[in-house]
Amino acid sequence: MQIAQVIVDVPTRQTNSSYSYLIPNELSDQIKLGMRVVVPFGKRHITGFVVGIDNSTEFNGKLKEIISLIDLIPQLNSELLKLSDWLASETYSFKINCLQTMLPGSLHVKTKKVIKALSSEVVEKYPKIFNGNNEIEYNSDQLSTEDISIILDLQKQNKVSVNYELLQNAKPMMINVIKNKLSNEELKSKVNEIRKNAVSQLKLLDLLQSNPNQELIVSKVIKMGITMDAINNFVKKGWLDKYLVQKQRNPFASKAKKTTPFSLNKSQQNAVDHIVKSIENKSDTTFLLEGVTGSGKTEVYLQSIDFALKSGKTALLLVPEITLTPQIVERIRGRFGNEVALQHSSLSDGERFDEWQRINSGQAKVVVGVRSAIFAPLENVGLIIIDEEHDSSYKQGENPRYQTREVAKWRGKYNHCPVVLGSATPSLETRARAHKGLYKLLSLPTRINNQALPEVSIVDMKEEITTHSGGISSALQVAIRKRIDRNEQVILMLNRRGYSNFIMCRDCGFVPQCPNCDITLTTHKDTHTLNCHYCGHRESIPDKCSNCGSKRMRTFGMGSQKLEEEVKNLYPDARVLRMDVDTTRKKGMHEKIINQFGNHEADILVGTQMIAKGLDFPNVTLVGVLNADSALAFPDFRSSERTFELLTQVAGRSGRADKKGEVIIQTYNPDHYAIQLSKIQDYELFYKTEMRVRHLGNYPPYYYTIKLTASSKIETQTMQTMFSVFNFLKKRLSSKAIILGPTPKLITRVNNRYYYQIIIKYQNEPNLKDTLNQLLNGSQKKGKNDIQFSIDNDPIDFM
DNA sequence: ATGATTCATCCA
DNA sequence: GGATGAATCATA
């Protein structure tokens, strides 16, 4: 008898290893590694992943049998199963969470418990429980304790049955088809059996004769004027078969126009040559492709992918969420056609499910997608590319908190293939590794067509504030006017959504705060509410101060909504579009705004940082940054890096075609190095300067970091837990490890929970993993006290 | 996670 | 002493 090792869908410390199950004979031919199964677990039926199939087991107790298979083909290959182990260990997460993270969310399957009444008597006797239904879902938090005991009683008396059903989100799309069972000669002879006035049947007979041995889609047949009755009639007579087949959804509205490779300049060619050689030699080199904005990195990607495909391999191209625009997707599809599969949050569940199946079945050879696409079930990977590798969306914010770059390197090693990290402003870690020779540096120092980088000027807002009350400096106002008169386009970035930052009472200085979080509420004028951007709390804008009763409540600061209003006032002749979280919440709006602006249906695009990256509008000759300091203001070691990166990226949106671009940066810190260096757009100098700062502060890339966070509803309890964690770490780690904290988080209270953190900075701590795992094991016991504890390896920030 | 079991506490 | 609810345990 064969035995399967199953990781069950119970995300806890104690169940974080595989359980052995007998494979019943009828499943032994079908069951494969990486399939999902339903197994008995205690009294319940739950789902799990098959991660091993053996002839024996370490487990000495009595084995149970697998109940059923969920999949017909494995959803995860052996590479991904192995990767999940590494991922669990690296991110201190449960294996089941890692396995599930690798599948598109729509594939997550849960079991649900269903109580079925065996007689109508029971249903009538307990209307409160059954509510007239024969079957109800058993949900212990929705049922009262008495109801639960009644149900248990009924179960003992055999008056109800308990069943488990699979709860599945995305299913393959099935359509009805019919297929001829008879030969054409036989069909001809059947004409006599049909009444002469049965028009529909005669038509169907004709249709079948002209389409021998073909599957015909029922809905289309009906559109031709043939009735369902006619079809059913033929089925009954045994003349044709009617059955369901799977149809693949197509997320692409139209066929992409075929594009041909561009010719490369010298440095692009050099980059492609290196990458190609590495694919050929099966070397797992990591490349840093450092190219200024507009230097043609995408073409390098495409030609390298092309080589991988021609060598019979597959390729992965990852892009940040916001840069996965129709623009780039079209370009890739134009080159590789139907071999491309897309994995993106803008797809519907069904579309994503089908795209995943196309990858899993080997139909798609190139996967383009966001962070989670790094887990695409490709076989024989020949190349992995991460575009804009510095982008913060490559780090997952919840468990498993993985860094996509590191997963990419793991898959590169496993597949013996190169990994290409591309950016105009690489992360310091990546650039430093290239400097040390761990990564191979490939640079693209010039823009294609040798366009000059845009001219950047800085406006000191400290001088400005006395002359202008609005957020747009006079220099920027003049520059915008010039573009409108010339019929060119302008992008204005303001890194703050909403209308204004906050409202304050002019008389007593009172500022409305969120009742659940330690944060000021933000004004939203369209909904006339004060919103909390952390917990979602909303309240209406008060007409008088709730502290002193004064009616002099005024707005302060500026958000994207207010900027849009101001721009419209200043330039009544200009057409203005706004793009931020609020205007793009609806599906497809992001694309719509981009297309409208691209078609020059608007002159000015106002937006938050989501307009900073990847967009390519040839007619944009001016970019204005309204508050360059917003990222600098965060008390975080990466704030300079983020500021420099954001300014450089947004500046790169200007002057991408033949017209020269201009960039105006407004700031209150004109002398800060991140701002000064983005003026001259010198990444290398920024890198050197910032490395000195990091060195002095013992920050990455000189030190590795780990962030520990605890939260609970009682502040003192959170604090005490963290102090004991601190003491434990102090004892176990070497004296060289730097342990910061515990400190309250920047926003200590969110949704009425108090958050405290400890940061560990270290260079070499062989004990660390073991120590942290012990902490996790210990934290489980305290879990009942409502303390949540989490570990973030290589956090994106210290906030 | 959740159903089963043990433990602790309260009141008769 | 027995009922009740909370903490703890096991799940193959």
Side-chain angles (χ1 to χ4, degrees), chain A residues 252 329 332-342 355 358 363-368:
Chain A
F252 308 112
V329 173
I332 294 157
R333 287 217 308 136
R335 201 67 64 81
F336 305 113
N338 281 336
E339 302 208 291
V340 181
L342 189 60
E355 289 291 274
R358 285 181 58 228
Q363 284 175 66
K365 307 271 187 225
V366 183
V367 174
V368 182

Side-chain angles (χ1 to χ4, degrees), chain A residues 104 106 249-253 321 324 329 341-356 358-359 368-370 587-588 591:
Chain A
S106 53
R249 301 165 182 94
N250 187 357
F252 308 112
E321 182 89 30
L324 190 47
V329 173
L342 189 60
Q343 286 286 302
H344 186 249
S345 59
S346 73
L347 300 185
S348 72
D349 277 357
E351 286 167 345
R352 217 172 334 167
F353 174 83
D354 283 0
E355 289 291 274
W356 170 268
R358 285 181 58 228
I359 303 166
V368 182
V370 296
K587 186 181 159 161
E591 286 75 23

Side-chain angles (χ1 to χ4, degrees), chain A residues 141-298:
Chain A
D141 3 294
Q142 275 170 35
L143 292 163
S144 67
T145 24
E146 336 160 30
D147 290 348
I148 287 173
S149 58
I150 292 172
I151 291 171
L152 287 174
D153 260 11
L154 291 170
Q155 202 187 333
K156 269 181 209 144
Q157 297 166 41
N158 268 329
K159 288 189 174 159
V160 298
S161 69
V162 178
N163 299 298
Y164 288 85
E165 279 175 18
L166 280 185
L167 211 61
Q168 231 159 340
N169 284 325
K171 289 179 193 133
M173 185 159 85
M174 304 303 279
I175 51 167
N176 266 310
V177 294
I178 50 174
K179 197 171 166 188
N180 205 346
K181 275 174 94 176
L182 306 177
S183 71
N184 268 3
E185 286 80 55
E186 286 173 297
L187 279 174
K188 251 180 219 155
S189 67
K190 302 289 186 199
V191 177
N192 309 325
E193 294 183 26
I194 300 172
R195 281 179 291 119
K196 286 284 169 302
N197 57 354
V199 187
S200 198
Q201 293 195 33
L202 288 171
K203 249 193 203 170
L204 178 56
L205 205 63
D206 256 9
L207 186 70
L208 290 174
Q209 284 184 47
S210 48
N211 294 288
N213 279 324
Q214 268 181 56
E215 284 180 348
L216 301 170
I217 297 166
V218 169
S219 58
K220 285 192 181 159
V221 173
I222 285 173
K223 273 210 189 99
M224 291 177 210
I226 293 167
T227 61
M228 199 67 203
D229 282 346
I231 294 172
N232 288 335
N233 199 322
F234 277 30
V235 173
K236 227 185 264 164
K237 286 181 173 148
W239 297 355
L240 52 79
D241 276 330
K242 191 176 118 205
Y243 50 90
L244 289 167
V245 293
Q246 185 183 345
K247 176 149 192 291
Q248 226 140 42
R249 301 165 182 94
N250 187 357
F252 308 112
S254 59
K255 273 219 165 88
K257 263 192 248 112
K258 191 86 191 147
T259 61
T260 41
F262 303 153
S263 60
L264 302 175
N265 66 28
K266 219 173 143 196
S267 41
Q268 283 177 310
Q269 188 62 56
N270 174 57
V272 172
D273 288 347
H274 270 96
I275 297 166
V276 158
K277 200 180 280 166
S278 176
I279 298 172
E280 258 179 339
N281 296 343
K282 297 188 170 192
S283 91
D284 55 16
T285 314
T286 302
F287 293 99
L288 167 57
L289 182 63
E290 185 182 326
V292 295
T293 53
S295 60
K297 289 188 291 284
T298 309

Side-chain angles (χ1 to χ4, degrees), chain A residues 543-559:
Chain A
D543 52 357
K544 60 178 199 282
C545 174
S546 61
N547 185 46
C548 71
S550 159
K551 294 215 164 164
R552 301 190 343 126
M553 299 291 284
R554 292 290 179 274
T555 58
F556 286 83
M558 180 180 282

